[in-house]
Amino acid sequence: MKTNTSPYNPFDYLETEEEINEYLNDAFMDDDPQVFLVALGHLARKQGMQEVARRTGLNRESLYKSLSGSGNPHFFTVKKVIKALGCKLEVA
């Protein structure tokens, strides 16, 4: 029997800005920095990567690569994406 699956985006289940910020902050605290980049990429795709690219002034294709989990974006890029998404990153 064949099992059908579909892509999973955790941001489809986070409803409030507080929940999204908490998820991103938890991902940031993970020992693997790629976890945070993937989480940020999920949020950017949910809001529309083209719109995020427009707000940041960055190339859409490079954003996809940077936020895929296998990219290695500069901190400047990550900071611009966080700001464009309206998120707050808190380091405690």
Side-chain angles (χ1 to χ4, degrees):
M1 174 177 257
K2 183 178 178 182
T3 302
N4 291 327
T5 62
S6 59
Y8 174 73
N9 185 344
F11 288 100
D12 291 340
Y13 304 96
L14 300 176
E15 297 179 7
T16 66
E17 188 175 303
E18 182 180 319
E19 289 174 335
I20 290 170
N21 282 323
E22 184 177 344
Y23 180 82
L24 283 177
N25 279 286
D26 287 346
F28 182 77
M29 297 307 292
D30 193 278
D31 291 337
D32 182 358
Q34 299 305 320
V35 170
F36 176 71
L37 295 176
V38 169
L40 199 58
H42 282 298
L43 180 57
R45 281 187 286 285
K46 180 176 181 180
Q47 290 197 11
M49 196 65 83
Q50 185 170 346
E51 179 60 23
V52 173
R54 185 189 66 75
R55 287 187 217 152
T56 60
L58 301 170
N59 180 290
R60 183 177 56 89
E61 290 80 15
S62 66
L63 282 178
Y64 272 114
K65 183 177 178 183
S66 295
L67 302 176
S68 69
S70 62
N72 189 18
H74 293 282
F75 182 73
F76 179 75
T77 299
V78 173
K79 185 177 175 183
K80 285 182 97 172
V81 171
I82 291 169
K83 184 176 180 180
L85 296 173
C87 294
K88 295 177 184 173
L89 183 63
E90 298 177 1
V91 180

